[in-house]
Each structure stands twice: as C-alpha cells, then as structure tokens.
Amino acid sequence: MKLIPVRHSAMGSIWMCHFFLLLFILDTSLIASMANNATDSYWLIRIKSELVDPSGALGNWSPTTHVCDWNGVTCAVDQEHVIALNLSGSGISGSISVEFRHLSSIQTLDLSSNSLSGSIPSELGQLQNLRILQLYSNDLSGNIPAEIGNMRKLQILRIGDNMLSGEIPPSIANLSELTVLAIGFCHLNGSIPVGIGKLKHLISLDLEMNSLSGPIPEEIQGCEELQNFAASNNMLEGDIPFSMGSLKSLKILNLANNSLSGSIPHALSHLSNLTYLNLLGNKLHGEIPSALNSLIQLQKLDLSKNNLSGSIPLLNVELQSLETLVLSDNALTGSIPSNFCLRGSKLRQLFLSSNMLSGKFPLELLNCSSIQQLDLSDNSFEGELPASLDKLKDLTDLVLNNNSFVGSIPPEIGNISSLEGLFLFGNFLTGKIPMEIGRLQRLSTIYLYDNQMSGLIPREITNCTSLEEIDFFGNHFTGPIPETIGKLKDLVVLHLRQNDLSGPIPPSMGYCKNLQILALADNTLSGSIPSTFSYLSELTKITLYNNSFEGPLPHSLSSLKSLKIINFSHNKFTGNFFPLTGSNSLTILDLTNNSFSGPIPSTLANSRNLSRLRLGQNYLTGSIPPEFHQLTELNFLDLSFNNLTGEMPPQLSNSKKIEHILMSNNRLSGKLPVWLGSLQELGELDLSYNNFSGRVPSELGNCSKLLKLSLHHNNLTGEIPLELGNLTALNVFNLQRNGFSGPIPPTMQQCTKLYELRLSENFLTGNIPVELGGLAELQVILDLSKNLFTGEIPPSLGNLMKLERLNLSFNQLEGKFPPSLGKLTSLHVLNLSNNHLEGQIPPTFSGFPLSSFLNNQGLCGPPLRSCSESTAQGKMQLSNTQVAAIIVAIVFTSTVICLVMLYLMLRIWCNWRKVAISSAEGGTVAHKIRNGEYWNMNSFGFIPSPDKQNSAATSFYNIKMETMENAHM
C-alpha cells in the first residue's frame, strides 16, 4: 500500500522533466528564429545593454521610438537598415559589443572620444560594408585584431589615442581602399609592415607616439597618393629611404624624435608639394642639402637636435613660402648667408640656437622685416648689437643669450614697440640700461643676468607695466631699487641678486601683488622689511641673504600663507622669527648668521613638507621643540652655534629622510640617543662642542650612508664601538677632546673612504693598529696625539701616500722611526714629539721643524743632531748606572771627610779648653816637638802678650819654616 504513491510520484517527475526539456528546445528554436529575423533595432538594444550611459545619450533608444530617430543613428532609404552610427563624445563607457557584427549594412561606425574599454572585438571584421571605423580617444587595450583586414571596403581607420599594444597586423595591407590610417598615440611596437606599400590610395598615415622600431620600409613609395606621413616619437632607425622622394603628393612629413641616422637624402628635394618637414631629434649628420631650396611650397622646416654640420645653405630668397626655420642644437658653423633674406619675406620664426655660428651680429637678418621670433642664443657671435635692430619692427622675442656680445644695449631698442621678450643674458654687455626701454609697453620678460652692466636701474623701467619677469642677476648695478617698482602690478619674478644695490626695499614693492619670486640676495641693501610685504599673498620664494637688513620682522609677514622658500641668512635681523612661520607650505627656511633670539617656535612644525631648516649662528635658546616629530620630510637640520639646552628630542626619530644633523656649539646634554641608528639616510652628524656624556651607541653603526661624524669636544666616555667600522662610506671621523678609553677598534680598517681621522685628547691605549695603514684615502689628517698609545709606530702608515698631516705627539710610543714613513711625500705637517722614539729620521723629513721631533731622546738626524755625533758623544758618556755610582761615591767621600774634619775640630777645641784652664791656674804647658825640644804654647800667639807680639810672630814664622824644611828632607 505504501509503494503505490511512491511509484506514482516517480512517474510524475519523469513526465515533468520531459515537459521542461521540450519547452527548452522550443524556446531555443524560437530565439534562434527570432535572431535570424531580428532587425537592426534589436541588435542596437542588445549593444545598449552592454554600455554605461551616464549622460543619457541613448535615452531614446527604445521600442517606442523608430530606430531611425534614435540618437546617432542614420538609416538607409528603406528606413529599416542602419548604415551609420555616430556616438562620438557621448560620454558612454563599457565595452564594444560583439553584436555589432550583426549590423551588416553599416558603413560608418564612430565611437570615438568616449571611455570605452576592453579590446577591439575581432568580430568587427565581419562588417563587409564598413567604410569608416573611428574608435580613437578611448581606453581600448589589447592587440589590433588581424580580422580587421577583412573589411575590404574600409576607407578610414582611426583607432589611435588608446592603449593598444602589440604589432601592426600585416593584414592591414589587405585594406586596398584605405585612405586614412591613424593608429598614433598608442603602445604599438614592432616594425612598420612592408605591405603598407600596397595601400595605393592611402592619403594619411599617422603612426606617431608609439614604440615602433626598425627602418622605414622602402616599399612606402607604393603609397603614391600619400599626403601626410607622421611617424614621430617612435624608435625608428636606419636611413631615411631615398625612395621617399617619389611621394610627389606628400605635403606633411614628420619623422621627429626617432633614431634615424645617415644624411638627409637629396631626394627629399623632389617633394615639390611639401609644406611641412620635421626631422628634429634624430641622429642625422652631414651637411644640409642645398637642394632643399627647391621646396618652394615649404612653410615649416625643423632640422633641430641632430648632428648636422657645415654652413647654412638655406636661402629665404628661394624658400619664399617659409615661415618657420628651426636649425637649433646642431654643429653648424659660419654665419648667416649674405643673401639669406629679401624684403617681403614671410619668415616669422628663425631659431638657430646651440650651434657654433660665429661672427658679428648678422645684419642680413635685418632684411627679414617680417620676423617675429629670432633666436641666436648659445653660439659664438660677438661684437656690438647694431643700432638698426629697430628695423625688425614686428619682433616679439629677441633671444641672444649666451654669446660674446659686448658694448651697451642700443637705445633704439625702445623703438621695437612689439617686443615682448628680451633675452640678453650670458654675454659681456656693459654700460647702463637705456632709459628708452621704458617705451616697451608690451615687454613681459627681460633677462639681462650674467653680464657686466652697471649704473642705476632706470626708473623708466617701471613704465613697462606688462612686465612679468625681471632678472638682472650677476651684474654691477648700483643705487637703490626704483621707488616706483610698485607700478609693475603684473610682476611675477624679480631677480636682482648679486649686484651692488644699496638702500632700503621700497615700500611700494608690496603692491606688486602678483609677485611670486623675490631674489634680492648678495647686495648691500639695508633697513628693515616693509610692512607692506603683507600684501604679497602670492609670494612663494624670497631670498634676502648676504645683505645688511636689520631689526625685527614685521608681524604682518605671518599672513604670507603661500611661502615655500625663505632665505634671510647672513643679515642682522633681531627678535624672534615667529612671523615667518605663518605658512604651512614651507619647504626651506634658512636664517643662518643673524641675531634672532628666543625659543624655536613650535608652529614651525605645521609645515609638514619642510625639508631644509637652517637656524645656525643665532642666539636661540630653550630646547628643541618636540613638535618636530611632524617634520617627516626633513632633510637638513642646522641648529648649530646657538644657546640651545636640553636633550635631543626622541621625536626627531620620525624624520627618516634626514641627511644632515648639525647641532654643534650649543649646550645640549644627556646621552647620545640610540634612535640615531634608525636614520638610514643620515650622511652628516655634527654634535661637537656640547655637553653630551656617556657612551656612543653602537646602533650608530647602522647609518651606512654616514659621511661625516663629528662628536668632538664633549664628555663622551667608554670604548669606541666596534660597530662604527660598519660606516664604510665615512669620510670624516672626529672624536677628539672626549674621555674615550681602550684601543682603536680593528674594524676601523673597513672605513676605507676616510680622509680625515681625529682621535686626539682622549685616553686611548694599546698599540696603533697596523690596519690604519690600509686607509689609503686618508689625506687631510691622522691625529692620534695626547693619548696613551704604546708600542712602535706601525710601518704600514707609510702606505698613506695622500696624507698631508700626521700627529702622534704626546703618547708613549717607542722604538725606531719606521723608514717606510719616508714614502709620505704629500706630508707637510708632522708632529712626533714627546714620545720615546729612537733611531735615524728619514732624510725626506729633514725639512720639518725641530718641534716635530722634540723630547724623543733617541732620535737623530736632521733637523736634530747628526747620528754620527750622537754615537761619538754616546761613547764618551757614562751610562746612567755609572753616573749614579759616581755620584754616590762622591757624596759618601764628602760625608766621610766632613765627619773627620768635625772630629779634628772637636779635638782641637777640647785641647784648647784644657790649655785655657791651665793658664787660668798660672801653669805653663810645654809640648815636645820632633827634634826633642819643647816649645811654649804661649809663644804660638793664640793669646799673645802685648809686650811680646813681635817675638811671637817671629817664633811662628820660624817654626813654620822649620817644619817646611823638615818636610823636604
């Protein structure tokens, strides 16, 4: 009973499956039938579904509107078939649908200037009636499909300005009806197909701005109707085909910026219809063919940036249609041909810069009265500028810079009322600026820098109210800046640096409200900054360094929010510099060598892009602001020669791009921070003349780009870390006047680029490492003086052939003078004094002063005594032990003699006392002498009687004589 419902259910399911399968087959057949009978409107609806239409350009594409009334649609006469679709610039995006293949009658398809992406569908090749296909200026990518060559009726193919890549398909040659092929501004590579010559009806070929390489095929001569050939900005190479001379219809030939070589083929002179020829930026060499003068239709000729040589053979008298001639950046010599120009010339632009042209200013050019832009810059022209320059009455730009012109600017230049740009910099012009220049009402740019001009800047120049740029850098102009400078309302650049200008800045300068760059550095200007500068809201760069400006900064400067570069260094400014921190756009601030005081404003940290901060040589106090952690772009930090205190703030560790830290000559204290080792870009670290203490962190050895390390004149202690040997780029290493101890680490031998090493005035011990002799680049100095080094001078120091100064004085060095040091021929300062050295000084060192070797008892040879005298004198002298023994003997003998004499005197005194006592009692004492006789003590005369003085004297004499006689017996 339970199985029956199950069986019925299974049977029902099977029937249902069959039913749906039948429906699917019928539906598929119906859709296929509908597709075969679908109208163009159906396919357009399908195409629309794949597009994004934010502007509503396809808004009326609906079944309720007849297809022929749809936007962009053009129908055939039968009002059923679409023959043209133009959606150019409709703002649509999405991809190009493969369903376009069904529009079998379409002749024109224009989807240009939209935002279509994806690839070009190969199915478009099925559109056998298509004559115009324009897909340019989209975001299409991928290769050009080979199937595009199947559209045999195609006349115009414009698919450039996309991101197409790959090679140009050879099947392009099958488009025998093609008149326009524009595939420029893509990423195509490979070579130009040889089959391009089969396109007999091609009028325009645009291949520019791709990466095409290889030669231009000779077969291009088959494009007999070609009028425009543009292949600029590729990588084409080889010679320009001679066969191109057969393209008689060619009007425009643009092969600029490739790598074409060889000479310019004479055959190009056969292109009688040519109006535009551009070969700039190739590797062409040789002379310019004079045959090009036959191109009488030519309007623009550009042969610049090649290696062309010889003289200029082109004559405007023959090239009568020529309007622009550009021959710059070659190696042309000579001057301008004497018959270059005739009156009535159409020449408007002549650019001959960066050649080797010479001679005086070519007066022949004055016949080209129509010329508007003349550029003779970067040549070797000389002499004075002609007064007749005003014949060029239509001249707008006169560019004569970087030549050797002399003399003064002719006043007649004021007659060229059309002049807009005057570029005379880099010559040897002298004299004053003519007052007549004030007539040039259209003048916008005047560059006179790098000349030798002098005198006052004329007030009349401020009548040129169109002036935007003034650059007088590097002359000898004197006197004040014109007071009326404020009349130049359009002035953007004022560059007066490196002159002899004096006086204050005119207050009217503040009314040049468009001023962006102000450079007044390297003059003798004085006074204070005018408060009117607060009006210069567009100012981005101001340099006033090397003047005599003084006083506090006006607070109104804080309103200059666009400032990026400030350099007020080497002046006499006082007070705080807070007004300069109003801009958050600062990238460079240099206030070196002024008298600014007070703390460093923390608001400076608001300039997050600050890369260069130089505040050295002022009177700044306080600590380094912790807010500097915001200066992540900081590259150069100079706070040296101030009165800053405290420790180095750890926040500076955020400045990972910093390359220079200069904080010498302050009162900074504490330990050297470990985080210094994290500054991988650090190239210079100068913390000298401070109160830093403790050890040098070994992490400093991680700064692999460090070139200069100066920690001298601090209170640092401990050993020099081994890790500092990892600083293999180091040039300068200075640790003198600290408390370092221990040996010089052997790892120092790895610092092979050192040219200055100073370790003096420490407590370093041990031997001088032999490895120091491997520092072959040491040149400025090796100073190890005033330490506790022992042992001998390593002979390896003789390998320091570039060394100029060597100081090993005040150590405990011993042993002989290494002969190898005689190889140090570059040495001009030497100090080995106050050691225990011995032996002969090499003859090459005889020219050094005596002070270089003092207090080394064993040294000899010039400038000390000769070694032979030293040896002879040594033989005559006793040893120190012998001398000491003799001295002891002498002292001992003298002591014994003194004791004996003292004893005798005491005996005599005792005897005298006895005699004196006896005499007092009235007795006489007699003494027996050698001959057996006796003599009376009283008769000796110690206490002579008044009446017997003579007798006593005689008796004494007689006794003395007798004694002497007895002695000689």
Side-chain angles (χ1 to χ4, degrees), residues 18 33 42 154 173 177 238 320 354 362 369 400 461 481 510 879 917 960:
H18 284 214
S33 176
Y42 170 80
L154 198 63
E177 300 297 320
Q320 295 182 10
S354 300
S369 57
L400 305 178
I461 200 170
I481 300 170
S879 68
I917 294 171
K960 187 175 182 181

Side-chain angles (χ1 to χ4, degrees), residues 349-424:
Q349 298 170 313
L350 178 60
F351 301 117
L352 305 177
S353 64
S354 300
N355 280 285
M356 295 185 287
L357 301 173
S358 58
K360 296 183 180 299
F361 182 92
L363 297 176
E364 296 78 12
L365 295 180
L366 301 181
N367 294 325
C368 304
S369 57
S370 60
I371 203 163
Q372 295 176 354
Q373 293 176 302
L374 175 61
D375 187 354
L376 304 180
S377 63
D378 293 284
N379 280 287
S380 300
F381 289 111
E382 57 188 7
E384 297 187 356
L385 300 179
S388 52
L389 264 176
D390 57 351
K391 288 184 177 180
L392 303 177
K393 54 183 177 53
D394 294 329
L395 199 63
T396 60
D397 294 282
L398 179 60
V399 187
L400 305 178
N401 54 278
N402 295 324
N403 279 284
S404 297
F405 290 115
V406 297
S408 57
I409 299 174
E412 288 80 4
I413 203 165
N415 297 330
I416 310 176
S417 58
S418 57
L419 198 62
E420 297 176 6
L422 180 59
F423 302 87
L424 303 179

Side-chain angles (χ1 to χ4, degrees), residues 38 43-44 107 124 185 197 210 260 344 388 394 489 500 674 704 729 796 834 930 958:
W43 297 116
L44 287 175
Q107 300 176 16
L124 291 186
F185 296 91
N210 279 289
L260 299 170
S388 52
D394 294 329
K489 306 295 185 184
D500 298 313
V674 173
S704 58
S796 62
N834 295 282
R930 293 180 186 178
N958 290 335

Side-chain angles (χ1 to χ4, degrees), residues 36 63 150 153 180 225 256 260 289 309 312 332 376 389 399 443 451 470 697 776 811 846 875 877 891 924:
N36 290 332
N150 298 333
K153 294 182 181 180
V180 175
E225 299 179 13
L260 299 170
S309 56
I312 298 175
L332 301 173
L376 304 180
L389 264 176
V399 187
L443 191 66
N451 277 288
I470 297 176
N811 279 287
S846 60
K875 290 179 180 180
Q877 293 176 345
V891 171
T924 301

Side-chain angles (χ1 to χ4, degrees), residues 836-868:
H836 306 305
L837 302 174
E838 59 185 27
Q840 184 173 358
I841 300 171
T844 53
F845 290 165
S846 60
F848 288 104
L850 188 64
S851 59
S852 296
F853 310 100
L854 286 178
N855 298 322
N856 286 281
Q857 296 299 325
L859 282 182
C860 62
L864 302 177
R865 61 182 180 276
S866 68
C867 292
S868 57

